[in-house]
Short mmCIF file of all heavy atoms in Angstrom, two decimals:
data_model
loop_
_atom_site.label_atom_id
_atom_site.label_comp_id
_atom_site.label_asym_id
_atom_site.label_seq_id
_atom_site.Cartn_x
_atom_site.Cartn_y
_atom_site.Cartn_z
N ASP A 8 -2.64 4.86 0.46
CA ASP A 8 -1.84 6.03 0.04
C ASP A 8 -1.92 7.19 1.00
O ASP A 8 -2.99 7.80 1.11
CB ASP A 8 -2.13 6.44 -1.31
CG ASP A 8 -2.21 5.23 -2.31
OD1 ASP A 8 -2.75 4.16 -1.97
OD2 ASP A 8 -1.67 5.43 -3.41
N GLU A 39 3.63 7.15 -1.21
CA GLU A 39 4.19 7.81 -2.43
C GLU A 39 3.47 9.12 -2.65
O GLU A 39 3.92 9.86 -3.54
CB GLU A 39 4.05 6.87 -3.56
CG GLU A 39 2.68 6.64 -4.09
CD GLU A 39 2.67 6.52 -5.59
OE1 GLU A 39 3.83 6.50 -6.15
OE2 GLU A 39 1.60 6.53 -6.20
N LEU A 65 6.00 2.30 -2.33
CA LEU A 65 5.91 3.40 -3.23
C LEU A 65 5.36 2.91 -4.52
O LEU A 65 5.36 1.69 -4.80
CB LEU A 65 7.34 4.08 -3.52
CG LEU A 65 8.05 4.59 -2.31
CD1 LEU A 65 9.49 4.94 -2.66
CD2 LEU A 65 7.31 5.82 -1.75
N GLY A 66 4.86 3.77 -5.39
CA GLY A 66 4.30 3.38 -6.63
C GLY A 66 4.86 4.20 -7.78
O GLY A 66 6.07 4.37 -7.89
N ASP A 67 4.02 4.68 -8.71
CA ASP A 67 4.43 5.44 -9.89
C ASP A 67 5.19 6.73 -9.64
O ASP A 67 5.85 7.27 -10.41
CB ASP A 67 3.27 5.67 -10.87
CG ASP A 67 2.06 6.31 -10.18
OD1 ASP A 67 1.61 5.78 -9.21
OD2 ASP A 67 1.56 7.32 -10.76
N HIS A 68 5.01 7.28 -8.36
CA HIS A 68 5.65 8.50 -7.98
C HIS A 68 6.91 8.30 -7.13
O HIS A 68 7.37 9.20 -6.44
CB HIS A 68 4.75 9.46 -7.24
CG HIS A 68 3.52 9.91 -8.05
ND1 HIS A 68 3.60 10.43 -9.26
CD2 HIS A 68 2.20 9.78 -7.77
CE1 HIS A 68 2.40 10.72 -9.76
NE2 HIS A 68 1.50 10.34 -8.83
N PRO A 88 8.21 -0.23 -7.01
CA PRO A 88 7.73 -1.29 -7.86
C PRO A 88 8.91 -2.23 -8.31
O PRO A 88 9.93 -1.81 -8.73
CB PRO A 88 7.10 -0.57 -8.97
CG PRO A 88 6.58 0.68 -8.44
CD PRO A 88 7.63 1.08 -7.37
N ASN A 90 8.61 -4.30 -10.87
CA ASN A 90 8.66 -4.58 -12.31
C ASN A 90 9.11 -3.48 -13.17
O ASN A 90 8.75 -3.28 -14.25
CB ASN A 90 7.26 -5.07 -12.76
CG ASN A 90 6.13 -4.11 -12.49
OD1 ASN A 90 6.14 -3.49 -11.45
ND2 ASN A 90 5.14 -4.11 -13.30
N TRP A 91 9.99 -2.58 -12.56
CA TRP A 91 10.66 -1.57 -13.31
C TRP A 91 11.99 -2.12 -13.78
O TRP A 91 12.53 -3.16 -13.30
CB TRP A 91 10.84 -0.39 -12.41
CG TRP A 91 9.68 0.62 -12.48
CD1 TRP A 91 8.72 0.59 -13.39
CD2 TRP A 91 9.44 1.68 -11.55
NE1 TRP A 91 7.79 1.59 -13.15
CE2 TRP A 91 8.21 2.23 -12.04
CE3 TRP A 91 10.05 2.15 -10.42
CZ2 TRP A 91 7.63 3.34 -11.34
CZ3 TRP A 91 9.45 3.26 -9.72
CH2 TRP A 91 8.26 3.86 -10.24
N VAL A 116 6.05 -4.87 -4.33
CA VAL A 116 5.04 -4.07 -4.97
C VAL A 116 5.20 -4.23 -6.50
O VAL A 116 6.32 -4.33 -7.00
CB VAL A 116 5.26 -2.53 -4.72
CG1 VAL A 116 4.23 -1.71 -5.43
CG2 VAL A 116 5.30 -2.29 -3.19
N VAL A 117 4.08 -4.43 -7.14
CA VAL A 117 4.13 -4.50 -8.69
C VAL A 117 3.26 -3.30 -9.16
O VAL A 117 2.23 -3.02 -8.57
CB VAL A 117 3.62 -5.83 -9.24
CG1 VAL A 117 4.65 -6.95 -8.83
CG2 VAL A 117 2.21 -6.19 -8.76
N LEU A 118 3.63 -2.81 -10.26
CA LEU A 118 2.90 -1.68 -10.89
C LEU A 118 2.04 -2.20 -11.91
O LEU A 118 2.50 -2.94 -12.89
CB LEU A 118 3.93 -0.64 -11.46
CG LEU A 118 3.40 0.74 -11.80
CD1 LEU A 118 3.01 1.54 -10.54
CD2 LEU A 118 4.46 1.49 -12.63
N GLY A 119 0.76 -1.83 -11.97
CA GLY A 119 -0.19 -2.20 -13.06
C GLY A 119 0.21 -1.57 -14.38
O GLY A 119 0.94 -0.53 -14.41
N ARG A 120 -0.35 -2.13 -15.42
CA ARG A 120 -0.10 -1.59 -16.79
C ARG A 120 -1.30 -0.95 -17.41
O ARG A 120 -1.13 -0.02 -18.24
CB ARG A 120 0.47 -2.70 -17.67
CG ARG A 120 1.85 -3.20 -17.32
CD ARG A 120 2.40 -4.12 -18.29
NE ARG A 120 1.64 -5.43 -18.31
CZ ARG A 120 2.03 -6.47 -19.09
NH1 ARG A 120 3.09 -6.43 -19.85
NH2 ARG A 120 1.34 -7.55 -19.01
N LEU A 121 -2.49 -1.35 -17.10
CA LEU A 121 -3.68 -0.78 -17.65
C LEU A 121 -3.97 0.62 -17.17
O LEU A 121 -4.11 0.94 -15.95
CB LEU A 121 -4.89 -1.68 -17.32
CG LEU A 121 -4.89 -3.11 -17.78
CD1 LEU A 121 -6.14 -3.80 -17.45
CD2 LEU A 121 -4.71 -3.15 -19.36
N PHE A 122 -4.08 1.62 -18.05
CA PHE A 122 -4.35 3.00 -17.89
C PHE A 122 -3.30 3.70 -16.97
O PHE A 122 -3.67 4.79 -16.49
CB PHE A 122 -5.75 3.15 -17.18
CG PHE A 122 -6.81 2.24 -17.88
CD1 PHE A 122 -7.55 1.34 -17.19
CD2 PHE A 122 -7.12 2.55 -19.20
CE1 PHE A 122 -8.45 0.60 -17.79
CE2 PHE A 122 -8.08 1.69 -19.87
CZ PHE A 122 -8.75 0.75 -19.17
N MET A 123 -2.18 3.21 -16.80
CA MET A 123 -1.15 3.81 -15.98
C MET A 123 -0.34 4.69 -16.92
O MET A 123 0.58 4.18 -17.53
CB MET A 123 -0.31 2.76 -15.25
CG MET A 123 -1.04 2.00 -14.15
SD MET A 123 -1.51 3.06 -12.80
CE MET A 123 0.09 3.17 -11.93
N VAL A 124 -0.59 5.98 -16.96
CA VAL A 124 0.10 6.82 -17.88
C VAL A 124 1.43 7.39 -17.32
O VAL A 124 2.40 7.49 -18.05
CB VAL A 124 -0.88 8.06 -18.23
CG1 VAL A 124 -0.12 9.05 -19.10
CG2 VAL A 124 -2.10 7.55 -18.84
N ALA A 125 1.45 7.61 -16.02
CA ALA A 125 2.67 8.31 -15.46
C ALA A 125 3.87 7.42 -15.52
O ALA A 125 4.99 7.95 -15.51
CB ALA A 125 2.33 8.70 -13.97
N ALA A 126 3.73 6.15 -15.40
CA ALA A 126 4.92 5.28 -15.40
C ALA A 126 4.42 3.93 -15.91
O ALA A 126 3.34 3.46 -15.78
CB ALA A 126 5.38 5.11 -13.96
N GLN A 127 5.44 3.30 -16.60
CA GLN A 127 5.09 1.98 -17.19
C GLN A 127 6.04 0.93 -16.63
O GLN A 127 7.28 1.22 -16.49
CB GLN A 127 5.30 2.02 -18.72
CG GLN A 127 4.20 2.98 -19.35
CD GLN A 127 2.86 2.25 -19.25
OE1 GLN A 127 2.68 1.06 -19.33
NE2 GLN A 127 1.82 3.11 -19.17
N GLY A 128 5.58 -0.25 -16.32
CA GLY A 128 6.52 -1.31 -15.88
C GLY A 128 6.41 -2.52 -16.80
O GLY A 128 5.55 -2.63 -17.67
N PRO A 131 3.37 -7.28 -14.56
CA PRO A 131 3.28 -7.47 -13.15
C PRO A 131 3.03 -8.86 -12.69
O PRO A 131 3.36 -9.29 -11.60
CB PRO A 131 2.13 -6.47 -12.76
CG PRO A 131 1.33 -6.42 -14.01
CD PRO A 131 2.31 -6.52 -15.11
N VAL A 152 -0.40 -4.35 -5.24
CA VAL A 152 -0.66 -4.06 -6.66
C VAL A 152 -0.97 -2.57 -6.82
O VAL A 152 -2.12 -2.17 -6.41
CB VAL A 152 -1.68 -4.93 -7.25
CG1 VAL A 152 -1.73 -4.73 -8.72
CG2 VAL A 152 -1.42 -6.43 -6.96
N HIS A 153 -0.02 -1.80 -7.24
CA HIS A 153 -0.34 -0.39 -7.38
C HIS A 153 -0.79 -0.13 -8.85
O HIS A 153 0.01 -0.07 -9.73
CB HIS A 153 0.98 0.40 -7.12
CG HIS A 153 0.81 1.83 -6.84
ND1 HIS A 153 0.32 2.36 -5.68
CD2 HIS A 153 1.06 3.01 -7.68
CE1 HIS A 153 0.32 3.63 -5.72
NE2 HIS A 153 0.73 4.07 -6.95
N ALA A 154 -2.09 -0.05 -8.91
CA ALA A 154 -2.66 -0.07 -10.28
C ALA A 154 -4.00 0.74 -10.38
O ALA A 154 -4.64 0.90 -9.41
CB ALA A 154 -2.95 -1.53 -10.70
N GLU A 155 -4.27 1.11 -11.47
CA GLU A 155 -5.53 1.92 -11.83
C GLU A 155 -6.72 1.07 -12.09
O GLU A 155 -7.80 1.30 -11.48
CB GLU A 155 -5.35 2.76 -13.11
CG GLU A 155 -6.38 3.75 -13.32
CD GLU A 155 -6.31 5.04 -12.41
OE1 GLU A 155 -5.15 5.40 -12.14
OE2 GLU A 155 -7.35 5.51 -12.10
N ALA A 156 -6.59 -0.07 -12.76
CA ALA A 156 -7.78 -0.88 -13.20
C ALA A 156 -8.06 -1.91 -12.08
O ALA A 156 -7.22 -2.69 -11.73
CB ALA A 156 -7.47 -1.60 -14.47
N GLU A 159 -7.40 -5.57 -13.33
CA GLU A 159 -6.05 -6.01 -13.28
C GLU A 159 -5.72 -6.44 -11.78
O GLU A 159 -4.98 -7.47 -11.62
CB GLU A 159 -5.10 -4.90 -13.69
CG GLU A 159 -3.64 -5.41 -13.96
CD GLU A 159 -2.87 -4.26 -14.65
OE1 GLU A 159 -3.07 -3.10 -14.45
OE2 GLU A 159 -1.78 -4.60 -15.30
N LYS A 160 -6.16 -5.69 -10.87
CA LYS A 160 -5.89 -6.11 -9.45
C LYS A 160 -6.62 -7.44 -9.10
O LYS A 160 -5.96 -8.31 -8.54
CB LYS A 160 -6.39 -4.97 -8.51
CG LYS A 160 -5.68 -3.66 -8.66
CD LYS A 160 -6.20 -2.62 -7.75
CE LYS A 160 -5.71 -1.23 -8.01
NZ LYS A 160 -6.25 -0.23 -7.05
N THR A 177 -3.47 -0.64 -4.22
CA THR A 177 -3.36 0.77 -3.83
C THR A 177 -3.43 1.63 -5.15
O THR A 177 -3.67 1.07 -6.22
CB THR A 177 -2.06 1.12 -3.11
OG1 THR A 177 -0.95 0.65 -3.97
CG2 THR A 177 -1.92 0.38 -1.81
N HIS A 178 -3.42 2.93 -5.02
CA HIS A 178 -3.29 3.86 -6.10
C HIS A 178 -4.51 4.63 -6.37
O HIS A 178 -4.54 5.83 -6.66
CB HIS A 178 -2.83 3.25 -7.43
CG HIS A 178 -2.69 4.26 -8.53
ND1 HIS A 178 -1.77 5.26 -8.59
CD2 HIS A 178 -3.38 4.34 -9.72
CE1 HIS A 178 -1.85 5.96 -9.70
NE2 HIS A 178 -2.82 5.37 -10.38
N THR A 179 -5.74 4.03 -6.32
CA THR A 179 -6.94 4.73 -6.71
C THR A 179 -7.57 5.58 -5.58
O THR A 179 -8.48 6.29 -5.84
CB THR A 179 -7.97 3.80 -7.29
OG1 THR A 179 -8.28 2.72 -6.35
CG2 THR A 179 -7.52 3.24 -8.55
#
Side-chain angles (χ1 to χ4, degrees):
D8 308 47
E39 73 144 7
L65 302 168
D67 51 308
H68 298 306
N90 55 328
W91 273 344
V116 181
V117 294
L118 194 71
R120 291 186 293 185
L121 297 180
F122 313 123
M123 293 291 287
V124 177
Q127 293 291 326
V152 185
H153 197 77
E155 189 76 36
E159 191 172 25
K160 298 178 190 181
T177 56
H178 180 66
T179 55

